[in-house]
Amino acid sequence: MKRYNPTEIEKKWQDKWEADGTYVADLSDTTRPKYYSLSMLPGITGAGIHIGHGRTFQFADIKARLKRQQGYNVYHPIGWDSFGLPVENYAIKVGKTPRVAHDEAKAHFIAQLKRLGFSYDWSKEISTADPEYYKWTQWIFTQLYKHDLAYQKEQPQWWCDTDNTVLANEQVEGGKCWRCGNPVTKRNLKQWFFRITAYADEILEATDDLYWTEMVKTMQKNWIGRSVGAEVDFVVNGQDAIITVFTTRPDTLFGSSYVALAPEHPLVSQLVNADTCAKVEAYVQAAQQKSDVERQENKDKSGVFTGSYAINPVNGQKLPIWVADYVLSGYGTGAVMAVPAHDERDFAFAEKFDLPIVQVVDKPEDSADIGCYTGEGELINSGQFDGTRSEDAREQIVAWLEQQGSGRGKTTYKMRDWLISRQRYWGAPIPMVHVDGFEPIAVADECLPVILPEVENFKPTGGNTSVLAQVDDWVRVWVDVETGKTVPITESKPVGDNWREGRRETDTLDGYACSSWYFLRYLDPHNDAQAWDPERIDHWMPVDYYNGADHAVAHLLYSRFWMRFFYKLGLVPTPEPFKRMMYNAYIMAPDGQKMSKSKGNVIDPMEIMDSGYGADALRVYEMFIAPYDMDAPWDPRGVPGTYRFLNRVWNVVQEFVAAPESTSEDDQELLRLTHSTIKKVTRDIEDEKFNTAVAAMMEMVNGLYKFKESHSMQASGTWRFTLESLLQILAPFAPHITEELWRELGHTDTIHVNHWPKWDEKYLKSDTMTIIVQVNGKLRSKLKLPVDTDRQGVEAVALADENVQKFTNNKPPKKMVYVPGKLVNIVV
């Protein structure tokens, strides 16, 4: 009998699939149902992928393989997130240009992915750093600009001194850079933004209906952070100044006892006096060294009194104006009306600085709130609004403020516009030209792409511009201020009154811009005339299945924004990019830590495959290790275990091939096992229960070996159906061994196309049922009884069971709980 040799058969079939174009999708075929499956675009780094990445990519591969076997026209593409900080930082580290470093690293990625047997359509591979791709990223930018959704402005921005570039809010995690993990600061810079806030309501309101992982939906809703409330104007006592605050609880306005400003608020310097100036300046400087997250999470509230007072518009009371770092300049107006009796942060601040606490919402007698009450109730100490329910008072007080000219209804968002420009070399050039006396000019379509020039020294300088600013012949261009056409400055100035000398924008686009639309380019990757053919997009979009383990907010939110923009232009058939989005957990290092090259705990899948276990054993274990949404530490014993499982599959098929021909009748036990497993695995893959699908196949193989012990192996029709079905349902998880054994069974076509078994319900009906017997909630026995046994019969057999009697001491039970057909619990 032949032995299972993964090294030999895996290379053989990978070469065969590539030569035959087994996984190449015909995107023009509309006769079959389509299935578009992909994982998040892999980013290129020098380390290649580790086993956690491999697991992430496998989820979409299994979905694609299932549908391909079920007869769908499946598209499972691959490409590279090539622009951005990871590649440039890696290039600096290895002392090569980003292009060379990227291409060398990509070769390693490709080798890893092909060894793992993913069913990618390599003929349509894309890279975001190829001019053929980023030409259309630039075209999208110009369309956004023309529709007033891209703009440039100056304001304080997060800055990473390590990576020498600005960062979007979404790229600052816990006050640190998302990429390098070092603390960030703020700089006042002129930057490019996308007006994502214009779509905030649309995106938010569509989120609940998405078939996405709930955690991701919650994170997106929290990030958008819509708040409905009011803006209230507080006149500064004795000054010609107004402090406008935003509040979601205008019903508590009568309980305001102080006003707090963010340290960055523009009025702070105007409100101080000789006694408070030094203290306030010192406090402001100290606050600027903290991140927004640190300021929000700090339970020990800090602040300093400015020396000025504001007038509460509803009762004329003078309220002290404080500077407090728990107030953020980026949210609302950077000022709050503090109501200590009904806000926990304000309460903590008021207690520390001995400020008044005035209750204005009556607390229910059974309320468990201690200190401050944040719920609803009837207003008290609120003048003419006393006795009004707080829910109703909100509208009434806002209406009163509007009549007095002291406030207005307002909706605000935590989300800010998307900061898109970067002061780094390795990125798509922003296709804009600056001419003195003119607004920024978008480069004409026919002059795209704006090619990233090659430079000898691409390292960031730490200044406010990228190194592109030093490439004079590239920066300076002739531009037609009416059409946006450009001509190199090294050529003669074109004839015409509209031509001026201009300067190209020297910032580059953040990598997220390139990865916000790649799933559309995948569908038309070789189109030179347009970003994509709308007819093809109409058929293939939205993506049927999308998964990843990162970017729950940034990438996914940006993609939804761009898709909505394209939808309004009539370029795509749906405003949402992904029908199903599954956010999967991580494989951790054996010690439970997250895998990281810096920690030295990364496991390369090549090492496992080269050790003799092969790709299939690794693939099966990565699906078996845990449910997709649960982090799990890597167990070195896992792959040897799944290798033994695959050996058992191999051996039972080899025994069948060598067995004598038989005309024996169908065996009902074997058919029941086969059909029940087909149903279980099919449903589990559809429901993303990948680990239990593997467990079901392992149970089936165990059942086959037990059956073999009492029945000699014969080459019967039932055994053939059973083994072919086993290989078909195992194929998405272990594509190489199943392809080999499929041919061993005499087939000449691939198992991976149009071969998925169907179960027959008639074989799933059983004459018996298994009853779990518990004593005081603990398992003590299992009974196999006729399915028509009634409750009294089940209880009688359970009480008579020899093992059960050991724990009941033959005493009559206090009660018996029966779950029909499943369980009986004897309470003694």
Side-chain angles (χ1 to χ4, degrees):
M1 187 169 67
K2 291 198 302 185
R3 294 183 60 190
Y4 173 42
N5 185 340
T7 303
E8 178 183 311
I9 68 171
E10 290 178 359
K11 179 68 165 63
K12 165 187 169 182
W13 288 113
Q14 288 161 12
D15 291 345
K16 176 69 172 170
W17 294 330
E18 187 168 353
D20 292 349
T22 302
Y23 305 124
V24 174
D26 181 357
L27 298 180
S28 62
D29 178 10
T30 59
T31 61
R32 292 177 291 160
K34 66 92 177 178
Y35 194 78
Y36 187 9
S37 177
L38 69 152
S39 299
M40 287 185 182
L41 190 67
I44 292 291
T45 61
I49 67 169
H50 57 63
I51 54 173
H53 299 129
R55 182 175 190 245
T56 292
F57 300 149
Q58 194 180 341
F59 292 119
D61 189 57
I62 287 176
K63 286 284 193 174
R65 287 182 174 278
L66 167 70
K67 292 300 181 181
R68 196 181 288 111
Q69 287 181 245
Q70 289 178 331
Y72 284 71
N73 185 16
V74 172
Y75 187 36
H76 188 36
I78 184 65
W80 315 105
D81 191 6
S82 305
F83 267 148
L85 287 175
V87 175
E88 187 172 316
N89 287 344
Y90 171 65
I92 293 172
K93 179 180 178 181
V94 299
K96 299 178 180 179
T97 67
R99 174 60 68 185
V100 170
H102 165 272
D103 290 348
E104 290 179 356
K106 186 176 76 169
H108 181 49
F109 269 69
I110 291 173
Q112 288 179 303
L113 296 180
K114 288 189 174 182
R115 279 285 301 278
L116 283 163
F118 293 122
S119 60
Y120 293 130
D121 182 346
W122 288 96
S123 70
K124 302 176 182 67
E125 177 187 353
I126 63 173
S127 170
T128 62
D130 288 344
E132 296 81 10
Y133 181 93
Y134 69 75
K135 167 184 179 178
W136 301 109
T137 304
Q138 293 173 338
W139 175 80
I140 294 168
F141 182 101
T142 63
Q143 299 308 304
L144 288 163
Y145 181 72
K146 292 171 184 176
H147 287 82
D148 195 32
L149 292 172
Y151 65 93
Q152 193 178 35
K153 73 172 181 178
E154 183 173 314
Q155 69 176 39
Q157 305 296 344
W158 290 117
W159 178 270
C160 176
D161 284 322
T162 303
D163 289 327
N164 286 312
T165 190
V166 295
L167 300 171
N169 290 317
E170 294 86 346
Q171 294 172 319
V172 177
E173 301 170 352
K176 297 179 180 180
C177 172
W178 72 287
R179 181 63 202 164
C180 67
N182 291 322
V184 295
T185 56
K186 288 257 178 120
R187 274 193 188 184
N188 207 47
L189 297 169
K190 195 172 187 178
Q191 298 291 294
W192 284 97
F193 296 83
F194 289 148
R195 206 181 303 277
I196 190 173
T197 52
Y199 286 74
D201 284 329
E202 287 185 38
I203 294 172
L204 182 65
E205 288 163 10
T207 300
D208 281 333
D209 293 333
L210 294 175
Y211 180 34
W212 288 23
T213 298
E214 287 299 320
M215 179 197 72
V216 176
K217 292 161 63 172
T218 298
M219 291 176 70
Q220 294 214 349
K221 289 189 289 186
N222 290 343
W223 188 264
I224 295 170
R226 181 169 65 187
S227 297
V228 179
E231 283 186 341
V232 184
D233 297 330
F234 287 73
V235 175
V236 178
N237 187 51
Q239 293 191 34
D240 185 19
I242 293 175
I243 296 173
T244 299
V245 306
F246 172 78
T247 177
T248 59
R249 293 294 302 269
D251 51 300
T252 64
L253 189 52
F254 283 85
S256 181
S257 60
Y258 67 96
V259 171
L261 304 183
E264 301 87 357
H265 196 285
L267 284 180
V268 168
S269 60
Q270 181 179 330
L271 299 174
V272 297
N273 56 39
D275 295 330
T276 63
C277 183
K279 290 182 180 179
V280 171
E281 285 184 359
Y283 183 82
V284 169
Q285 289 180 4
Q288 289 175 343
Q289 305 306 310
K290 302 178 185 177
S291 73
D292 287 1
V293 174
E294 291 173 324
R295 287 163 56 173
Q296 289 259 282
E297 293 180 348
N298 187 6
K299 295 181 179 180
D300 185 17
K301 295 292 180 282
S302 67
V304 61
F305 176 48
T306 63
S308 296
Y309 293 83
I311 306 301
N312 190 330
V314 295
N315 56 20
Q317 289 188 354
K318 292 171 60 178
L319 309 180
I321 303 172
W322 286 68
V323 178
D325 66 6
Y326 77 87
V327 184
L328 303 180
S329 62
Y331 183 70
T333 64
V336 300
M337 57 165 228
V339 185
H342 304 290
D343 181 276
E344 293 178 355
R345 297 179 308 160
D346 299 344
F347 180 81
F349 191 92
E351 276 208 318
K352 179 171 182 177
F353 293 103
D354 197 24
L355 295 167
I357 300 174
V358 182
Q359 186 178 353
V360 292
V361 179
D362 199 11
K363 183 165 53 176
E365 292 183 2
D366 60 350
S367 173
D369 288 81
I370 300 174
C372 69
Y373 172 63
T374 59
E376 308 286 358
E378 290 189 355
L379 295 196
I380 57 176
N381 302 318
S382 298
Q384 70 267 37
F385 300 101
D386 279 354
T388 307
R389 287 288 305 178
S390 54
E391 303 97 315
D392 301 325
R394 282 198 271 279
E395 290 187 14
Q396 296 177 22
I397 291 177
V398 171
W400 184 87
L401 288 168
E402 289 177 343
Q403 290 177 353
Q404 304 300 313
S406 299
R408 62 216 64 88
K410 181 77 173 181
T411 299
T412 65
Y413 302 88
K414 176 185 173 185
M415 179 174 69
R416 293 291 170 260
D417 280 342
W418 173 9
L419 171 61
I420 199 63
S421 52
R422 296 292 179 268
Q423 292 69 51
R424 297 290 294 242
Y425 163 72
W426 188 242
I430 294 176
M432 302 297 294
V433 178
H434 302 278
V435 176
D436 292 341
F438 291 84
E439 291 295 314
I441 300 165
V443 174
D445 294 354
E446 59 264 41
C447 297
L448 298 177
V450 176
I451 298 291
L452 183 68
E454 294 185 8
V455 298
E456 291 184 8
N457 185 5
F458 59 89
K459 294 181 182 180
T461 61
N464 292 349
T465 59
S466 77
V467 297
L468 290 176
Q470 303 167 18
V471 188
D472 189 65
D473 286 348
W474 181 85
V475 172
R476 296 171 58 220
V477 291
W478 299 114
V479 58
D480 185 323
V481 295
E482 291 292 327
T483 66
K485 291 182 180 179
T486 58
V487 173
I489 198 69
T490 53
E491 297 183 12
S492 300
K493 181 180 179 181
V495 177
D497 295 336
N498 293 329
W499 289 90
R500 302 282 194 283
E501 181 177 333
R503 302 174 308 283
R504 291 195 188 278
E505 174 60 59
T506 59
D507 283 354
T508 54
L509 287 171
D510 176 39
Y512 275 126
C514 300
S515 62
S516 291
W517 71 283
Y518 71 96
F519 43 86
L520 296 169
R521 187 62 178 176
Y522 265 148
L523 294 169
D524 207 358
H526 307 306
N527 193 333
D528 294 330
Q530 52 190 340
W532 59 80
D533 179 352
E535 287 189 12
R536 182 172 291 181
I537 299 296
D538 284 347
H539 176 71
W540 282 95
M541 287 297 291
V543 175
D544 294 281
Y545 180 83
Y546 192 55
N547 79 286
D550 294 291
H551 312 305
V553 174
H555 160 63
L556 292 173
L557 203 57
Y558 298 157
S559 295
R560 297 181 68 195
F561 163 46
W562 278 25
M563 275 292 288
R564 275 180 156 67
F565 172 63
F566 301 148
Y567 182 69
K568 290 182 186 298
L569 296 184
L571 299 176
V572 295
T574 170
E576 292 291 345
F578 315 117
K579 184 181 295 183
R580 169 60 175 156
M581 194 279 143
M582 189 196 88
Y583 196 82
N584 56 273
Y586 295 106
I587 288 183
M588 315 300 281
D591 61 2
Q593 295 188 72
K594 186 176 178 181
M595 285 194 189
S596 167
K597 191 171 68 171
S598 62
K599 295 177 182 177
N601 59 5
V602 169
I603 299 173
D604 187 337
M606 291 292 219
E607 297 175 9
I608 296 171
M609 292 185 286
D610 288 341
S611 67
Y613 292 116
D616 286 339
L618 173 58
R619 287 174 61 110
V620 172
Y621 177 59
E622 290 204 302
M623 292 297 98
F624 184 60
I625 190 172
Y628 79 84
D629 55 353
M630 182 184 297
D631 291 339
W634 180 258
D635 185 348
R637 299 167 298 178
V639 173
T642 52
Y643 176 75
R644 288 192 295 272
F645 161 66
L646 293 178
N647 259 296
R648 301 187 81 202
V649 173
W650 177 273
N651 291 336
V652 74
V653 174
Q654 295 296 332
E655 284 186 51
F656 173 81
V657 171
E661 290 288 338
S662 171
T663 58
S664 61
E665 295 183 2
D666 292 347
D667 187 287
Q668 297 301 305
E669 182 181 347
L670 200 56
L671 288 171
R672 186 177 297 114
L673 173 64
T674 303
H675 284 276
S676 63
T677 309
I678 294 171
K679 181 177 181 179
K680 170 71 172 168
V681 172
T682 305
R683 294 278 178 83
D684 279 356
I685 296 177
E686 290 172 345
D687 296 338
E688 291 147 8
K689 298 177 181 177
F690 304 97
N691 61 316
T692 56
V694 173
M697 289 183 283
M698 290 178 171
E699 289 179 14
M700 179 180 178
V701 172
N702 288 339
L704 295 182
Y705 273 78
K706 288 180 181 178
F707 186 84
K708 267 193 325 109
E709 291 174 3
S710 57
H711 301 71
S712 60
M713 172 62 79
Q714 294 179 328
S716 67
T718 304
W719 264 106
R720 172 171 286 277
F721 170 75
T722 292
L723 294 177
E724 288 183 349
S725 298
L726 172 61
L727 296 179
Q728 288 166 346
I729 60 178
L730 179 60
F733 299 83
H736 308 89
I737 187 175
T738 51
E739 186 79 286
E740 179 74 12
L741 293 175
W742 184 250
R743 305 303 173 105
E744 291 275 337
L745 291 176
H747 296 281
T748 57
D749 63 344
T750 177
I751 194 174
H752 298 298
V753 179
N754 298 329
H755 286 297
W756 189 261
K758 295 182 179 179
W759 70 88
D760 191 330
E761 288 288 344
K762 74 179 182 181
Y763 292 108
L764 305 184
K765 297 174 183 177
S766 177
D767 297 330
T768 61
M769 60 182 176
T770 300
I771 300 294
I772 301 297
V773 183
Q774 297 178 337
V775 178
N776 291 339
K778 294 185 177 180
L779 174 65
R780 299 306 182 192
S781 186
K782 291 183 181 180
L783 307 175
K784 184 165 274 192
L785 301 173
V787 292
D788 57 357
T789 307
D790 60 14
R791 175 172 183 159
Q792 289 75 20
V794 171
E795 292 179 350
V797 176
L799 290 170
D801 184 86
E802 182 179 347
N803 196 53
V804 170
Q805 289 180 354
K806 294 178 183 178
F807 298 94
T808 62
N809 295 319
N810 289 316
K811 294 179 180 179
K814 290 185 178 181
K815 68 175 181 177
M816 297 182 73
V817 179
Y818 179 57
V819 179
K822 295 183 179 179
L823 175 147
V824 60
N825 184 27
I826 303 168
V827 181
V828 296

mmCIF file of all heavy atoms in Angstrom, residues 453-473:
data_model
loop_
_atom_site.group_PDB
_atom_site.id
_atom_site.type_symbol
_atom_site.label_atom_id
_atom_site.label_comp_id
_atom_site.label_asym_id
_atom_site.label_seq_id
_atom_site.Cartn_x
_atom_site.Cartn_y
_atom_site.Cartn_z
ATOM 1 N N PRO A 453 8.208 59.661 -8.963
ATOM 2 C CA PRO A 453 9.568 59.667 -9.529
ATOM 3 C C PRO A 453 10.525 58.820 -8.694
ATOM 4 O O PRO A 453 10.334 58.651 -7.489
ATOM 5 C CB PRO A 453 9.957 61.151 -9.470
ATOM 6 C CG PRO A 453 9.186 61.682 -8.300
ATOM 7 C CD PRO A 453 7.876 60.935 -8.300
ATOM 8 N N GLU A 454 11.547 58.299 -9.340
ATOM 9 C CA GLU A 454 12.569 57.555 -8.617
ATOM 10 C C GLU A 454 13.538 58.542 -7.976
ATOM 11 O O GLU A 454 13.953 59.524 -8.599
ATOM 12 C CB GLU A 454 13.324 56.625 -9.563
ATOM 13 C CG GLU A 454 12.458 55.504 -10.133
ATOM 14 C CD GLU A 454 13.261 54.535 -10.972
ATOM 15 O OE1 GLU A 454 14.506 54.662 -10.983
ATOM 16 O OE2 GLU A 454 12.649 53.671 -11.617
ATOM 17 N N VAL A 455 13.880 58.291 -6.715
ATOM 18 C CA VAL A 455 14.811 59.168 -6.003
ATOM 19 C C VAL A 455 15.881 58.307 -5.333
ATOM 20 O O VAL A 455 15.638 57.144 -4.996
ATOM 21 C CB VAL A 455 14.088 60.029 -4.935
ATOM 22 C CG1 VAL A 455 13.068 60.947 -5.576
ATOM 23 C CG2 VAL A 455 13.405 59.148 -3.883
ATOM 24 N N GLU A 456 17.059 58.875 -5.150
ATOM 25 C CA GLU A 456 18.138 58.127 -4.513
ATOM 26 C C GLU A 456 17.942 58.050 -3.006
ATOM 27 O O GLU A 456 18.142 57.012 -2.388
ATOM 28 C CB GLU A 456 19.483 58.790 -4.835
ATOM 29 C CG GLU A 456 19.903 58.660 -6.299
ATOM 30 C CD GLU A 456 21.282 59.235 -6.536
ATOM 31 O OE1 GLU A 456 21.969 59.584 -5.535
ATOM 32 O OE2 GLU A 456 21.691 59.337 -7.705
ATOM 33 N N ASN A 457 17.556 59.159 -2.406
ATOM 34 C CA ASN A 457 17.372 59.189 -0.952
ATOM 35 C C ASN A 457 15.902 59.439 -0.652
ATOM 36 O O ASN A 457 15.397 60.555 -0.814
ATOM 37 C CB ASN A 457 18.240 60.286 -0.327
ATOM 38 C CG ASN A 457 18.161 60.271 1.192
ATOM 39 O OD1 ASN A 457 17.528 59.388 1.783
ATOM 40 N ND2 ASN A 457 18.793 61.241 1.826
ATOM 41 N N PHE A 458 15.204 58.409 -0.237
ATOM 42 C CA PHE A 458 13.771 58.526 -0.001
ATOM 43 C C PHE A 458 13.432 58.627 1.487
ATOM 44 O O PHE A 458 12.261 58.693 1.852
ATOM 45 C CB PHE A 458 13.049 57.308 -0.591
ATOM 46 C CG PHE A 458 13.502 55.997 -0.013
ATOM 47 C CD1 PHE A 458 12.898 55.471 1.118
ATOM 48 C CD2 PHE A 458 14.543 55.291 -0.595
ATOM 49 C CE1 PHE A 458 13.322 54.263 1.659
ATOM 50 C CE2 PHE A 458 14.969 54.086 -0.066
ATOM 51 C CZ PHE A 458 14.354 53.566 1.071
ATOM 52 N N LYS A 459 14.443 58.623 2.361
ATOM 53 C CA LYS A 459 14.173 58.657 3.796
ATOM 54 C C LYS A 459 13.500 59.978 4.177
ATOM 55 O O LYS A 459 13.908 61.040 3.710
ATOM 56 C CB LYS A 459 15.466 58.496 4.590
ATOM 57 C CG LYS A 459 16.125 57.135 4.415
ATOM 58 C CD LYS A 459 17.396 57.034 5.243
ATOM 59 C CE LYS A 459 18.070 55.686 5.034
ATOM 60 N NZ LYS A 459 19.323 55.572 5.832
ATOM 61 N N PRO A 460 12.475 59.922 5.042
ATOM 62 C CA PRO A 460 11.790 61.158 5.450
ATOM 63 C C PRO A 460 12.718 62.064 6.235
ATOM 64 O O PRO A 460 13.593 61.601 6.973
ATOM 65 C CB PRO A 460 10.636 60.649 6.317
ATOM 66 C CG PRO A 460 11.083 59.308 6.803
ATOM 67 C CD PRO A 460 11.910 58.729 5.697
ATOM 68 N N THR A 461 12.545 63.353 6.059
ATOM 69 C CA THR A 461 13.413 64.332 6.704
ATOM 70 C C THR A 461 12.883 64.778 8.060
ATOM 71 O O THR A 461 13.608 65.383 8.837
ATOM 72 C CB THR A 461 13.554 65.577 5.805
ATOM 73 O OG1 THR A 461 12.252 66.172 5.622
ATOM 74 C CG2 THR A 461 14.130 65.181 4.449
ATOM 75 N N GLY A 462 11.591 64.499 8.331
ATOM 76 C CA GLY A 462 10.988 64.973 9.573
ATOM 77 C C GLY A 462 10.378 66.339 9.438
ATOM 78 O O GLY A 462 9.810 66.875 10.383
ATOM 79 N N GLY A 463 10.481 66.948 8.252
ATOM 80 C CA GLY A 463 9.872 68.252 8.026
ATOM 81 C C GLY A 463 8.404 68.137 7.680
ATOM 82 O O GLY A 463 7.790 67.075 7.816
ATOM 83 N N ASN A 464 7.830 69.240 7.208
ATOM 84 C CA ASN A 464 6.400 69.279 6.925
ATOM 85 C C ASN A 464 6.069 68.837 5.501
ATOM 86 O O ASN A 464 4.923 68.895 5.083
ATOM 87 C CB ASN A 464 5.853 70.688 7.155
ATOM 88 C CG ASN A 464 5.884 71.057 8.627
ATOM 89 O OD1 ASN A 464 6.117 70.209 9.483
ATOM 90 N ND2 ASN A 464 5.657 72.323 8.925
ATOM 91 N N THR A 465 7.092 68.412 4.729
ATOM 92 C CA THR A 465 6.848 67.940 3.363
ATOM 93 C C THR A 465 7.607 66.640 3.153
ATOM 94 O O THR A 465 8.522 66.304 3.907
ATOM 95 C CB THR A 465 7.320 68.961 2.313
ATOM 96 O OG1 THR A 465 8.728 69.192 2.489
ATOM 97 C CG2 THR A 465 6.557 70.266 2.441
ATOM 98 N N SER A 466 7.221 65.914 2.118
ATOM 99 C CA SER A 466 7.927 64.682 1.789
ATOM 100 C C SER A 466 9.182 65.009 0.982
ATOM 101 O O SER A 466 9.370 66.150 0.542
ATOM 102 C CB SER A 466 7.015 63.754 0.980
ATOM 103 O OG SER A 466 6.932 64.198 -0.362
ATOM 104 N N VAL A 467 10.014 64.006 0.742
ATOM 105 C CA VAL A 467 11.237 64.224 -0.025
ATOM 106 C C VAL A 467 10.918 64.575 -1.481
ATOM 107 O O VAL A 467 11.796 65.078 -2.198
ATOM 108 C CB VAL A 467 12.145 62.977 0.006
ATOM 109 C CG1 VAL A 467 12.592 62.690 1.432
ATOM 110 C CG2 VAL A 467 11.435 61.769 -0.582
ATOM 111 N N LEU A 468 9.687 64.363 -1.920
ATOM 112 C CA LEU A 468 9.319 64.728 -3.287
ATOM 113 C C LEU A 468 9.458 66.229 -3.519
ATOM 114 O O LEU A 468 9.648 66.671 -4.661
ATOM 115 C CB LEU A 468 7.872 64.301 -3.577
ATOM 116 C CG LEU A 468 7.624 62.791 -3.678
ATOM 117 C CD1 LEU A 468 6.142 62.516 -3.862
ATOM 118 C CD2 LEU A 468 8.424 62.202 -4.836
ATOM 119 N N ALA A 469 9.356 67.007 -2.442
ATOM 120 C CA ALA A 469 9.475 68.463 -2.581
ATOM 121 C C ALA A 469 10.852 68.863 -3.108
ATOM 122 O O ALA A 469 11.026 69.970 -3.637
ATOM 123 C CB ALA A 469 9.202 69.143 -1.243
ATOM 124 N N GLN A 470 11.829 67.964 -2.990
ATOM 125 C CA GLN A 470 13.183 68.263 -3.436
ATOM 126 C C GLN A 470 13.426 67.896 -4.902
ATOM 127 O O GLN A 470 14.475 68.196 -5.453
ATOM 128 C CB GLN A 470 14.184 67.507 -2.545
ATOM 129 C CG GLN A 470 14.043 67.831 -1.051
ATOM 130 C CD GLN A 470 14.808 66.854 -0.181
ATOM 131 O OE1 GLN A 470 15.691 66.150 -0.651
ATOM 132 N NE2 GLN A 470 14.463 66.814 1.100
ATOM 133 N N VAL A 471 12.462 67.223 -5.521
ATOM 134 C CA VAL A 471 12.626 66.804 -6.920
ATOM 135 C C VAL A 471 12.073 67.923 -7.805
ATOM 136 O O VAL A 471 10.936 67.875 -8.274
ATOM 137 C CB VAL A 471 11.900 65.473 -7.180
ATOM 138 C CG1 VAL A 471 12.238 64.944 -8.580
ATOM 139 C CG2 VAL A 471 12.267 64.442 -6.121
ATOM 140 N N ASP A 472 12.907 68.918 -8.045
ATOM 141 C CA ASP A 472 12.449 70.169 -8.654
ATOM 142 C C ASP A 472 11.820 69.963 -10.033
ATOM 143 O O ASP A 472 10.763 70.522 -10.334
ATOM 144 C CB ASP A 472 13.618 71.155 -8.751
ATOM 145 C CG ASP A 472 13.156 72.539 -9.174
ATOM 146 O OD1 ASP A 472 12.417 73.174 -8.402
ATOM 147 O OD2 ASP A 472 13.533 72.971 -10.288
ATOM 148 N N ASP A 473 12.468 69.169 -10.888
ATOM 149 C CA ASP A 473 11.944 68.970 -12.240
ATOM 150 C C ASP A 473 10.594 68.250 -12.241
ATOM 151 O O ASP A 473 9.850 68.321 -13.224
ATOM 152 C CB ASP A 473 12.944 68.176 -13.088
ATOM 153 C CG ASP A 473 14.143 69.021 -13.484
ATOM 154 O OD1 ASP A 473 14.080 70.256 -13.294
ATOM 155 O OD2 ASP A 473 15.146 68.454 -13.961
#
